[in-house]
Amino acid sequence: MNKNLHEVDKLFREALDNHKEPAPPGAWQGIDADLDRRQVNLFREKYYRLRRIMIVGMAAAALIIAVFITKRTLDKPGATLQGITKENQPSPASSKAAGGQADPQGTPSVQPDANSLATGSAQPAETKSSGAAGSNGQAGSSITDFSLLHGVASNPQDQLHASGAGRLNSPGYVAARNGSFGELQPTRKSNGLSSAGAGQTLPDNWQDEGSVSNKSAGSYSAGGANAVEGKTEAGEKSLYPYFAAFIPYTSPNTSASLGSSAAPGISMPKSNVRQTRIPRFSIAAFGSPNYSYTSLKNNDAVQSSARQKRIFENEEKTSTSYTLGLLVGYALDRHFSIQTGIEYSHTRTDIAPKIIYVRRDNFGRARYEFNCSAGSSFMDPKTAPAPPSVGDSVKVGGSSLEVGYIGVPVLLNYRIAMNRFGLEPTVGFTFNFLHRGESSTCFVTMPGTPKEREVVWGLKTMYVDAAMGLGASYQFNKRVSVAVKPQLRLAMSSTNENMPVKTYQNYFSVESGLRFNL
Amino acid sequence: MLTQPCGARPRLDFFRKKSIIIYATIIARCLKGERSSQNALYQALADKMYGVCLRFGRSAQEAEEILQEGFIKMFSALHQYREEGSFEGWVRRIMVNTALQRYRNHSALRAIVTLDFSHELMAEEAGDLDAGLSAKELIALVQELPSAYRMVFNLYVFEGYQHKEIASMLGISEGTSKSNLHDARRWLRERIASQERIDNLKKLYL
């Protein structure tokens, strides 16, 4: 028996193994037509991909241009230096020219004597304290060399009046005039030098920082010959900040010439320019309604793809979509920051009533198959009078598809600050992980029954989208700011696989939320 | 024992190499999208592949559909061919996989058919198989087999797969695969025997 059966194998193998049969003449026409169609789809796919890349590229280019323009604007002389606190900047309105001449940049008209400090032989120049009426006599009279540099006397109204015409021969002064005070220069120069001829209101914070070493009437020795006594009464503004302007000169260049005679008790003055600390970390909570646009593309692997695509396009319509998220930001510098975190996007799509059929599912059970653009689900109505058999059909209505993704965005922001307001162009990617894919359907033939909910098969567990947006923010205080950001998210890969159509989930959202700087 | 004539093997190698070179040239042109080369490749392989498709399909029409689908897949995946084995073998595997895919997609809609062995005894009594059936007749017999049996029979007898592989390919158990093959053989044996009887009767009375 077995021998006979195995002979069957032999018989068929010998007869048919290399058997040739003339192919039907119409077969090539079909292949030819299909190849043409595929070529068209290939070009179309390439076009879509190129279009996406171009959009992302253009957004990136716009961001780079914005960065470049902003950087150039900020680098221009006279531009507001960000990071210097407002109270440190001199108020032109309070400046009072009491004599002497000073140009608007604070360059004094007096010429310093080159040897006055180094040799300690500075001549007591004409010193006129126009503020004598209101100034402490001690302070006023004690101003010799250094006060002469500025022609300064202090008065209780915190105004310094320079009589001008002081002859200064200080290289440090020249250095200051030439703008070599490094980072501290703009404020120093303005406070220290322009007041030489023009007189200027002292900033409010002078007392805080300047009075530390001047309370005890600290002396400043130059070559042991000329001592500057900055004795001040308690509560008065000291002259200390004026000396600070000379420190860059004194310290590197003249310390040698000053030699060991320099007073040992003098320490390097602290900067009175407080730079705004860049908050490195921030947390932002946001929510946004989305305009969700599902782009459907033919799946070439499936024959009836084009027909299915048309059906789905007519049947489905997005009803609601929103995104909620929590982002952690890290500032790379004053402008650039990266953001990442977690967000949840939910989209509900309404599906028009349609007829569905019974098919065998992957486990061989006969169930109603519900197809939609995202995938398909097999339903087994609990209230059905009899178990469905293959070929049965039923009309369903009130169907919807709900898809939820947990996203991990990686965003690069560029902040253009305008006082409390700020603009933030953003580009980046979001990695979306499937959290929920569910279809709900109401079987029309059984009114009053609850909706059948089933998992949708065919959705990918992860897809990537490119995000670009332009945010606007308003800073309430150092910690809290509010932001609104219109953002476009374009899917770079389809959300489903092995389905008649490829689905690309795109969003346009207006994110709004609060940001807390840590 | 006779040995092969000297030079036979190198000559075969020569033709094999020549055939590889010709295929390589055509494939390179196909990859550039030349439709004439694609047509040439089709013409070179179509007859042989159609023979394979006929065994897997229920009818000539289904075989033609498998052939078309298989060739389209082949042209799409041509860049994946690594020239590691025979090109014909590679195309043949594509055809078989296409037929399997088709079977899997439509298996839910097909009714489960059991074979009728009412003439079992007569079949067993039949002697050695010497039916003298033509290839076309044998193909027609295979096509008459229910889909599940036809798949197992083709994969085991012609493609050389083992039951374990067939079971995983078709999503059935190994036992089912063995059982299907056994039933398919018995059914074919019986049909051949009955064909023999008809032929003998024809010879006697006509």
Side-chain angles (χ1 to χ4, degrees):
Chain A
M1 172 70 188
N2 280 340
K3 189 190 166 195
N4 283 344
L5 289 179
H6 285 293
E7 278 178 4
V8 174
D9 292 2
K10 192 180 169 188
L11 174 73
F12 277 89
R13 205 175 284 137
E14 283 174 356
L16 300 178
D17 209 4
N18 287 314
H19 176 66
K20 283 184 181 180
E21 192 79 22
W28 172 248
Q29 275 76 27
I31 295 168
D32 196 25
D34 204 278
L35 287 171
D36 282 341
R37 191 173 58 82
R38 276 167 188 268
Q39 207 157 18
V40 170
N41 285 339
L42 191 72
F43 282 127
R44 193 178 294 157
E45 192 75 23
K46 276 183 182 174
Y47 165 72
Y48 285 135
R49 198 173 300 159
L50 192 68
R51 198 174 64 173
R52 279 203 182 87
I53 291 167
M54 279 179 71
I55 289 169
V56 174
M58 280 167 70
L63 182 66
I64 290 164
I65 290 166
V67 170
F68 182 71
I69 290 169
T70 315
K71 216 170 176 59
R72 279 195 66 178
T73 310
L74 291 174
D75 286 348
K76 276 184 185 172
T80 307
L81 191 74
Q82 293 184 19
I84 297 175
T85 51
K86 195 180 174 185
E87 56 268 27
N88 284 338
Q89 294 177 16
S91 167
S94 62
S95 297
K96 191 158 84 178
Q101 294 172 1
D103 62 14
Q105 279 78 35
T107 306
S109 58
V110 291
Q111 294 298 319
D113 181 358
N115 298 320
S116 61
L117 273 176
T119 59
S121 60
Q123 298 298 316
E126 299 167 353
T127 304
K128 287 182 183 176
S129 176
S130 61
S135 67
N136 178 284
Q138 179 82 17
S141 62
S142 67
I143 294 173
T144 55
D145 212 343
F146 277 95
S147 63
L148 182 64
L149 295 177
H150 304 284
V152 170
S154 64
N155 64 18
Q157 283 79 38
D158 293 346
Q159 288 185 341
L160 296 177
H161 301 280
S163 61
R167 293 172 64 83
L168 303 174
N169 293 318
S170 164
Y173 195 90
V174 174
R177 194 178 58 181
N178 291 338
S180 60
F181 284 133
E183 202 176 345
L184 306 179
Q185 175 203 339
T187 303
R188 296 288 186 213
K189 196 172 171 182
S190 178
N191 287 343
L193 300 180
S194 68
S195 60
Q200 191 173 356
T201 303
L202 291 172
D204 293 339
N205 63 340
W206 275 20
Q207 174 137 16
D208 299 337
E209 297 182 14
S211 61
V212 174
S213 58
N214 283 288
K215 272 180 183 173
S216 58
S219 63
Y220 193 93
S221 169
N226 296 319
V228 177
E229 291 180 2
K231 286 180 183 176
T232 57
E233 289 180 356
E236 278 188 347
K237 303 296 180 187
S238 74
L239 297 176
Y240 184 93
Y242 275 75
F243 301 152
F246 289 86
I247 294 307
Y249 150 70
T250 310
S251 181
N253 299 329
T254 62
S255 59
S257 59
L258 289 171
S260 58
S261 59
I266 294 175
S267 60
M268 290 287 283
K270 285 182 182 177
S271 163
N272 73 331
V273 178
R274 291 182 309 192
Q275 295 217 338
T276 308
R277 188 175 65 88
I278 305 169
R280 288 286 179 193
F281 285 97
S282 65
I283 289 181
F286 72 91
S288 72
N290 298 335
Y291 169 72
S292 171
Y293 170 67
T294 307
S295 172
L296 302 180
K297 303 277 160 57
N298 290 338
N299 185 357
D300 294 334
V302 179
Q303 294 259 333
S304 59
S305 177
R307 188 174 61 85
Q308 290 283 352
K309 184 187 155 196
R310 280 196 300 276
I311 291 169
F312 292 143
E313 279 173 345
N314 292 330
E315 277 180 353
E316 298 179 8
K317 189 183 176 187
T318 307
S319 63
T320 54
S321 179
Y322 63 84
T323 304
L324 300 171
L326 195 67
L327 300 176
V328 178
Y330 178 77
L332 300 171
D333 62 14
R334 199 172 297 283
H335 298 294
F336 283 101
S337 65
I338 51 172
Q339 270 188 316
T340 186
I342 195 160
E343 63 184 33
Y344 178 75
S345 301
H346 179 270
T347 305
R348 181 192 156 99
T349 307
D350 288 339
I351 302 169
K354 61 184 194 177
I355 294 169
I356 60 172
Y357 297 88
V358 174
R359 272 193 60 186
R360 290 194 185 277
D361 64 10
N362 296 336
F363 305 102
R365 291 175 295 181
R367 300 172 80 188
Y368 286 100
E369 188 187 26
F370 183 82
N371 286 317
C372 56
S373 60
S376 60
S377 53
F378 286 92
M379 298 185 171
D380 201 2
K382 295 171 186 66
T383 51
S389 54
V390 176
D392 286 357
S393 66
V394 67
K395 189 173 185 182
V396 292
S399 312
S400 64
L401 168 72
E402 291 186 43
V403 186
Y405 285 95
I406 293 173
V408 179
V410 181
L411 305 170
L412 176 68
N413 298 331
Y414 180 80
R415 182 176 164 78
I416 305 164
M418 292 171 286
N419 293 330
R420 285 179 181 274
F421 289 96
L423 277 178
E424 282 188 23
T426 301
V427 289
F429 292 93
T430 307
F431 299 92
N432 298 285
F433 300 92
L434 181 67
H435 170 254
R436 182 188 181 195
E438 203 174 77
S439 67
S440 59
T441 308
C442 186
F443 285 79
V444 177
T445 50
M446 290 164 274
T449 55
K451 283 191 173 183
E452 299 288 335
R453 289 182 177 276
E454 280 296 335
V455 173
V456 174
W457 298 97
L459 285 167
K460 280 184 190 172
T461 51
M462 197 271 277
Y463 80 94
V464 183
D465 63 28
M468 66 202 80
L470 180 66
S473 65
Y474 177 79
Q475 194 151 8
F476 290 120
N477 53 43
K478 284 179 182 175
R479 294 266 177 212
V480 184
S481 58
V482 65
V484 177
K485 182 164 71 177
Q487 186 168 268
L488 189 65
R489 285 167 58 184
L490 294 172
M492 305 298 283
S493 56
S494 65
T495 57
N496 60 351
E497 58 188 348
N498 300 326
M499 298 311 293
V501 293
K502 290 180 182 174
T503 306
Y504 294 82
Q505 190 73 58
N506 305 316
Y507 296 105
F508 175 74
S509 59
V510 183
E511 295 178 357
S512 52
L514 284 173
R515 181 186 295 169
F516 303 93
N517 293 329
L518 303 178
Chain B
M1 184 178 171
L2 289 171
T3 53
Q4 281 189 334
C6 294
R9 183 77 185 167
R11 190 172 171 75
L12 276 175
D13 283 350
F14 169 76
F15 280 117
R16 192 165 172 268
K17 279 177 188 171
K18 195 172 181 182
S19 127
I20 288 169
I21 291 165
I22 290 166
Y23 271 131
T25 314
I26 296 174
I27 289 165
R29 287 179 181 172
C30 287
L31 284 170
K32 288 177 187 171
E34 282 184 21
R35 194 53 56 87
S36 58
S37 300
Q38 287 173 336
N39 188 20
L41 196 60
Y42 168 80
Q43 297 298 345
L45 297 167
D47 292 354
K48 204 171 261 186
M49 295 307 136
Y50 187 57
V52 175
C53 296
L54 277 172
R55 283 192 278 108
F56 279 93
R58 268 183 304 181
S59 60
Q61 194 185 349
E62 192 176 349
E64 187 180 338
E65 284 173 12
I66 294 169
L67 183 78
Q68 284 184 339
E69 210 172 313
F71 265 103
I72 288 162
K73 274 187 187 175
M74 186 267 282
F75 286 127
S76 305
L78 205 53
H79 61 279
Q80 293 174 12
Y81 175 59
R82 297 274 170 258
E83 298 181 12
E84 286 166 357
S86 146
F87 182 70
E88 269 185 32
W90 184 72
V91 178
R92 184 178 170 134
R93 273 202 303 281
I94 290 176
M95 296 295 163
V96 171
N97 287 337
T98 307
L100 281 172
Q101 183 71 40
R102 204 179 168 82
Y103 166 75
R104 278 195 292 261
N105 288 347
H106 296 94
S107 60
L109 297 173
R110 283 189 182 129
I112 296 167
V113 180
T114 51
L115 293 173
D116 179 22
F117 295 107
S118 56
H119 305 291
E120 191 178 340
L121 287 175
M122 282 194 290
E124 282 182 10
E125 284 164 7
D128 289 344
L129 283 174
D130 189 16
L133 297 174
S134 68
K136 275 191 178 177
E137 286 169 322
L138 289 173
I139 285 172
L141 284 177
V142 173
Q143 285 179 344
E144 278 181 43
L145 277 169
S147 298
Y149 297 86
R150 190 171 62 247
M151 287 294 151
V152 174
F153 183 76
N154 273 316
L155 290 171
Y156 187 88
V157 174
F158 296 105
E159 308 305 325
Y161 288 105
Q162 298 301 307
H163 284 296
K164 200 173 180 180
E165 295 168 304
I166 294 167
S168 67
M169 276 193 265
L170 299 178
I172 56 175
S173 70
E174 208 175 324
T176 308
S177 172
K178 283 177 183 173
S179 165
N180 283 358
L181 179 67
H182 181 75
D183 289 352
R185 279 170 175 164
R186 281 172 68 188
W187 190 85
L188 286 169
R189 177 77 183 83
E190 186 186 315
R191 293 301 301 268
I192 291 166
S194 61
Q195 195 68 38
E196 276 180 51
R197 280 195 301 278
I198 292 165
D199 288 347
N200 289 336
L201 287 171
K202 277 181 184 173
K203 279 177 193 171
L204 277 173
Y205 296 105
L206 297 176

